[in-house]
Amino acid sequence: MNNGLFAYLAALLLFGSNGIIAAAIALPSSDIVLLRTFLGALTLAAVLFITKRHNLQAPSRPREPQRSSSRAPRWAQLDFLFRAYQTIGVGVSSLLYYCGPIIVMALSPLILAKS
């Protein structure tokens, strides 16, 4: 099996098992999001250290305020998603999660209409 296919299948398995694992964890959803963020940062740091890329330079331009302001809504989105996994089940929660962009597109003419 080639390397790209293996990476693709591994990503599918990891992301696909996300809801099942989150629903089985007996912690509040906010703690799950915090733990996932911490473990992700540790994993990224380990990968950068192992691949000898830990001496990366900081970008010369300042950070965009949009990137910093998008962290709180993303945290809230994951918090609500994991709470939904625990409350109404993985199937319905995943279906509603993936219908989000469709709902936004359907409601945008009503919300963005100029009066």
Side-chain angles (χ1 to χ4, degrees):
M1 185 178 332
N2 67 12
N3 217 6
L5 182 61
F6 177 74
Y8 178 69
L9 291 175
L12 285 176
L13 288 173
L14 284 172
F15 191 73
S17 63
N18 190 20
I20 297 168
I21 292 171
I25 297 175
L27 287 174
S29 58
S30 58
D31 290 349
I32 295 172
V33 173
L34 182 64
L35 182 63
R36 281 175 46 100
T37 304
F38 181 69
L39 289 175
L42 282 178
T43 303
L44 183 60
V47 167
L48 289 175
F49 186 76
I50 290 170
T51 60
K52 307 278 191 241
R53 295 184 185 181
H54 55 276
N55 57 359
L56 296 174
Q57 300 294 325
S60 60
R61 61 188 174 129
R63 287 190 169 186
E64 297 89 9
Q66 297 87 3
R67 188 182 305 166
S68 297
S69 64
S70 69
R71 291 184 183 132
R74 177 68 178 148
W75 180 86
Q77 176 189 17
L78 286 175
D79 188 28
F80 289 136
L81 178 64
F82 290 139
R83 190 170 300 157
Y85 283 154
Q86 294 172 340
T87 306
I88 61 175
V90 176
V92 175
S93 300
S94 296
L95 183 65
L96 291 173
Y97 180 72
Y98 291 126
C99 286
I102 297 168
I103 295 169
V104 168
M105 286 184 351
L107 293 178
S108 64
L110 300 173
I111 296 171
L112 300 174
K114 295 183 179 181
S115 308

